[in-house]
Amino acid sequence: MLEVKTHSREQMPTATLCEWLTATHRQALPAPVIREASRTMLNVLGTAIGASYSEGVDALIRYSEEHGGTGTTVIPGREEELDALLGATTVGLASHYDDFDDTHLETVIHPGAACLGALLAVDGIEGVDGATALSAFALGCEAQLRIGSAMSPSHYDRGWHITATCGVLGAAVTAGLLLNFDSARLEQAIGIAASQTLGVREAFGTMTKPLHPGKAAANGIFAARLVQSGIVGPDAVLERSNGYFQALTPEVDVLRVTSGLGQSWELLSNTYKPYPCGIVIHPAIDAAVDLAPKIEDSARVRGITLRCHPLVAELTGNPAPVDGLQARFSAIHGVCAGIADGSVGLAQYQDERVRDEHLVMLRSLTVLEVDGSLSRDAAEVVVTLDDGTELKSYIPHARGSAALPLTDEELRAKVDALVRPVLGDRAAELAQAVENLGGAPSLDTLYTAVRPGKGV
Amino acid sequence: MTTLTSNGIAEFGLRGDPGADVLARGQDLVARSVTRAISGVTTDATRRLLDILEVKDDSPGAYPVGLHEYLSVSDAALVTGFAADSGAAKEPFATRILDAVVAAALAISQYTGARAAEVLTAVVVGSEVGLRLAEGLGAEHRHSSGWDVAGTVGTTAAAVAAGRLVLSEKETFSQALGIAATQGAGLLCSLNTVAGALHVGRSAAIGVEASLLASNGLTGPTTGIEGRRGLAVVIAPHSDLSRAGDRLGGSWLLAETKFAGEVSGNVRSAVTRVVSDDGDARELVATLNAVRAPAHTLGG
């Protein structure tokens, strides 16, 4: 059994973190943090809108309508409005549905989804201004990233879906701060939320994977509501005996939760995916897209070798996906789609495209070689043509990685591509609403920007 | 040796056929669980929980046992399960798993209009799976892992009961189990607080919701329990499900398990009456609620 040793104030992470979160929420966040929070929010709103008519969102909305789940929560891209908990679930699911949301590379947490769900769905915040909302969103992300860092990598390696197990705590923080909780009440919210954690990786490749951050958002709001109603949960939940760390991770570095609070920000290491699939696949896709212009006819391909970090095989080793969700965890599919199509976006993960005979054939010609000497964001693809020609591309750092982050322009282009099929030519309006959120007197402009209709 | 798998549980959940003696045991267990829930609905904690839930007058829903607030089906399950576990002393885990199963079955059966006998069958098969899964997760998980078994196993057990009443396809049933299993949680440290009762309540609610979501087309893993990254391995690394499926449907752990708690004579009589009259779940809950609050006129 894991023993979590706490010797000093610094090692009372739950209370220390909550005191810092509530104190920081009362001040203006540093400019770089505001910028990254805005980029995170823009990206995750884009992915939520992009998936707003997916089968998963449709299933949740059907369920909500059949079971009295309508309300006032805005669902980006949709006309329907749902109650707080189903609304949070739906926003969180949509945000993560295409596996296109933000990623903190060290922990592989996608922090934006659960916090966006909490932000858009928590009720009783009608008077909140944009700066407060952005701060609560940023601090919810920061809290979950710090807690996740303390458990990484052993927690994820055991099989937990860290986006949800930590996301529920981030959502509780976002909801609690929006409800103006003091430190003690925020600690209570985290205490109750910790017992509602969820998510095992067996769900990867099904709609239940994106359901995880959706439920994390809902459970975080629910925990905050319970605190408001006077329900008492455990304090010091992270470090106490029979608490969160003891149950959820074989190894923990408690100090990671609180070290450098205010000086260093995990949120600044958040990254944005250029491709809608598992992030470990990205350098391989970069290599494939790099080779594609050199291959006039992909029917001439006789063999493909992908050399990659061992984690690629562990997480995305499926050689024969049968639908778009499974394909998101198939490095081989990503490479073959990149070679055949020259680009990889949502279209390459449509079920029909995944089942295309030519792609099935290319996948059957592809082998995956793990190489522990490669970094996680590096890969090499070698293509052999029918005349024996070998084409090779080595990518030292994937686009969108910490070493090569998406620029603001690239991020806006990504969001535009996601928003256009749903809301038309309104991505600029959305980007403007997010950029101006810090000075907005309310969230009304943001709500308008994500809803169908004419916009502003 | 037969491993307990999602597929096997789904088959058992759909077609498990308990004999008369097992159903009689189920009838007694329902009466005991309902007695606890009716006792718990008057607590301050249950009232506080109700305060944050939305009454659903205009859509299909259910009554929590002992209350006249009409809620969504999953919220009704949440409140009944919470109330059953809101007493000061925590019952043994088998009893608390049973409470989650009964809460789920009573809520979803009001939605489907199931007969009382079908509710009993759902309770029996759900509880049997819960007990076997708890056994398979191992003693370390049950006693020293930091997890509350009523929360880790209860979601799956409740999904079995709910699935029995609302699902008909094995593939969908397996997926419902996956949706529920991935939400198995509940920290042991919470049991010292009021929030500890949420483990039973949320297990019931998750079981209901998982079945209804699966029936609405939300996909889940069909190996959510026994898979390489499924509930068993992740939450209980020393688990062993290899014998937990032995003679599933042929022998009943439920029949050998001692459950805690008293039973109200009035509740027992009400359950017996509705079952012998072949009444439906709405009548059952209305009758049970009349036991607690004769002045209330209950609809549905």
Side-chain angles (χ1 to χ4, degrees):
Chain A
M1 186 201 307
L2 177 76
E3 188 180 349
V4 182
K5 293 178 180 168
T6 56
H7 298 296
S8 66
R9 184 71 181 155
E10 282 300 300
Q11 289 179 306
M12 295 172 62
T14 318
T16 306
L17 180 65
C18 289
E19 286 167 10
W20 177 78
L21 289 166
T22 49
T24 305
H25 187 55
R26 290 191 290 269
Q27 307 160 5
L29 297 180
V33 175
I34 290 175
R35 175 176 180 269
E36 213 56 57
S38 298
R39 278 161 56 89
T40 299
M41 187 181 288
L42 176 62
N43 182 75
V44 78
L45 281 167
T47 59
I49 292 168
S52 57
Y53 284 86
S54 62
E55 288 180 51
V57 172
D58 282 345
L60 282 183
I61 286 182
R62 256 194 322 272
Y63 171 78
S64 301
E65 289 175 341
E66 285 176 16
H67 296 280
T70 54
T72 58
T73 300
V74 172
I75 309 300
R78 301 281 301 220
E79 297 278 4
E80 297 90 342
E81 295 181 344
L82 306 181
D83 73 21
L85 298 185
L86 283 166
T89 305
T90 306
V91 172
L93 175 137
S95 300
H96 191 47
Y97 196 82
D98 287 314
D99 232 303
F100 213 0
D101 42 344
D102 52 306
T103 308
H104 180 261
L105 294 170
E106 181 196 349
T107 58
V108 291
I109 292 175
H110 308 282
C115 290
L116 181 70
L119 170 63
L120 292 186
V122 68
D123 35 18
I125 63 160
E126 288 74 16
V128 162
D129 61 29
T132 302
L134 193 59
S135 170
F137 176 79
L139 291 169
C141 291
E142 181 68 15
Q144 61 174 300
L145 293 177
R146 284 177 166 272
I147 293 164
S149 296
M151 300 193 293
S152 291
S154 61
H155 169 74
Y156 187 86
D157 288 347
R158 175 168 278 185
W160 291 106
H161 186 195
I162 194 169
T163 292
T165 55
C166 294
V168 68
L169 305 181
V173 168
T174 295
L177 293 176
L178 287 168
L179 293 168
N180 204 25
F181 281 7
D182 61 16
S183 176
R185 273 151 68 94
L186 194 63
E187 186 170 352
Q188 284 286 298
I190 288 177
I192 295 173
S195 226
Q196 299 178 54
T197 192
L198 75 151
V200 295
R201 282 165 44 200
E202 192 69 14
F204 284 17
T206 76
M207 294 178 199
T208 299
K209 182 183 190 256
L211 180 71
H212 289 164
K215 291 294 289 189
N219 293 356
I221 290 175
F222 188 53
R225 278 180 167 185
L226 287 165
V227 171
Q228 279 188 307
S229 77
I231 297 279
V232 176
D235 55 13
V237 75
L238 295 176
E239 68 270 30
R240 72 180 302 151
S241 176
N242 290 322
Y244 181 85
F245 284 145
Q246 182 180 322
L248 278 141
T249 187
E251 295 172 13
V252 63
D253 180 356
V254 176
L255 288 174
R256 288 293 302 271
V257 178
T258 53
S259 63
L261 281 171
Q263 274 83 55
S264 63
W265 290 77
E266 291 298 330
L267 183 58
L268 295 180
S269 300
N270 212 17
T271 65
Y272 311 97
K273 294 179 174 184
Y275 309 115
C277 59
I279 198 157
V280 295
I281 306 173
H282 289 199
I285 295 176
D286 279 347
V289 170
D290 177 49
L291 290 176
K294 302 166 189 160
I295 303 168
E296 285 183 12
D297 180 2
S298 58
R300 290 185 53 209
V301 171
R302 292 295 175 266
I304 303 170
T305 301
L306 165 60
R307 194 164 65 85
C308 54
H309 186 275
L311 200 59
V312 178
E314 155 76 11
L315 299 179
T316 60
N318 185 350
V322 298
D323 59 31
L325 278 173
Q326 288 189 12
R328 287 184 163 80
F329 299 92
S330 170
I332 287 176
H333 173 77
V335 167
C336 294
I339 288 170
D341 296 351
S343 65
V344 175
L346 289 176
Q348 280 67 38
Y349 290 93
Q350 296 296 312
D351 290 349
E352 312 82 65
R353 187 66 187 132
V354 172
R355 295 174 190 140
D356 178 85
E357 282 183 14
H358 180 57
L359 279 184
V360 171
M361 187 273 292
L362 281 179
R363 292 198 297 257
S364 73
L365 298 173
T366 306
V367 294
L368 193 153
E369 285 183 0
V370 299
D371 183 343
S373 70
L374 288 174
S375 64
R376 278 191 196 183
D377 65 342
E380 181 182 74
V381 171
V382 180
V383 175
T384 306
L385 301 180
D386 55 1
D387 62 0
T389 304
E390 275 198 353
L391 303 170
K392 189 180 293 187
S393 176
Y394 171 70
I395 301 293
H397 299 291
R399 206 160 60 90
S401 67
L404 202 59
L406 288 195
T407 64
D408 288 350
E409 291 69 30
E410 287 175 318
L411 184 57
R412 285 185 183 220
K414 171 186 172 179
V415 171
D416 181 71
L418 287 164
V419 167
R420 190 172 295 277
V422 180
L423 299 181
D425 189 17
R426 292 180 53 204
E429 177 193 339
L430 175 62
Q432 199 68 44
V434 173
E435 190 173 324
N436 295 341
L437 187 60
S442 73
L443 304 185
D444 290 349
T445 304
L446 184 69
Y447 294 149
T448 302
V450 301
R451 279 184 165 129
K454 288 183 179 175
V456 292
Chain B
M1 294 200 298
T2 307
T3 301
L4 189 67
T5 63
S6 304
N7 198 42
I9 293 171
E11 177 71 27
F12 172 69
L14 286 170
R15 285 179 257 287
D17 186 14
D21 55 335
V22 178
L23 285 176
R25 185 84 206 278
Q27 189 170 319
D28 175 61
L29 294 177
V30 168
R32 287 173 187 273
S33 180
V34 166
T35 299
R36 281 190 291 280
I38 287 179
S39 170
V41 295
T42 58
T43 63
D44 178 58
T46 304
R47 186 48 57 186
R48 289 175 188 272
L49 175 62
L50 274 169
D51 284 346
I52 63 170
L53 301 176
E54 293 178 34
V55 173
K56 307 283 185 182
D57 289 328
D58 56 349
S59 57
Y63 292 98
V65 168
L67 290 167
H68 60 275
E69 282 85 354
Y70 193 64
L71 305 174
S72 74
V73 183
S74 61
D75 281 353
L78 170 71
V79 173
T80 299
F82 182 90
D85 198 40
S86 63
K90 289 291 173 246
E91 303 291 358
F93 73 83
T95 304
R96 298 173 63 241
I97 291 171
L98 168 76
D99 287 341
V101 170
V102 170
L106 288 176
I108 204 164
S109 59
Q110 294 176 67
Y111 169 66
T112 64
R115 316 305 298 177
E118 295 171 312
V119 178
L120 292 183
T121 302
V123 167
V124 166
V125 296
S127 299
E128 180 67 17
V129 169
L131 294 173
R132 284 170 176 261
L133 185 54
E135 187 70 23
L137 294 188
E140 182 183 340
H141 177 72
R142 295 196 299 274
H143 302 301
S144 59
S145 64
W147 290 107
D148 174 15
V149 183
T152 59
V153 166
T155 61
T156 300
V160 173
R164 173 77 181 210
L165 293 165
V166 79
L167 299 175
S168 57
E169 300 291 330
K170 194 159 85 170
E171 171 88 3
T172 310
F173 204 121
S174 295
Q175 295 193 29
L177 294 175
I179 296 169
T182 196
Q183 298 181 67
L187 300 176
L188 215 49
C189 68
S190 291
L191 293 191
N192 301 322
T193 72
V194 175
L198 284 168
H199 299 174
V200 172
R202 71 182 286 280
S203 284
I206 287 167
V208 165
E209 188 182 69
S211 294
L212 294 173
L213 286 174
S215 73
N216 269 287
L218 194 94
T219 61
T222 55
T223 51
I225 296 164
E226 74 282 12
R228 198 168 70 88
R229 298 297 186 198
L231 175 75
V233 166
V234 174
I235 213 161
H238 301 297
S239 61
D240 180 4
L241 300 181
S242 65
R243 285 180 298 180
D246 284 354
R247 301 197 62 231
L248 182 61
S251 72
W252 294 81
L253 199 52
L254 180 75
E256 303 161 13
T257 303
K258 288 184 179 174
F259 292 89
E262 303 295 320
V263 59
S264 149
N266 287 341
V267 170
R268 189 191 296 281
S269 299
V271 172
T272 302
R273 190 165 62 248
V274 177
V275 171
S276 59
D277 290 350
D278 193 28
D280 71 18
R282 293 167 190 148
E283 293 172 59
L284 176 61
V285 173
T287 305
L288 291 169
N289 288 7
V291 168
R292 187 232 156 190
H296 291 149
T297 302
L298 301 168

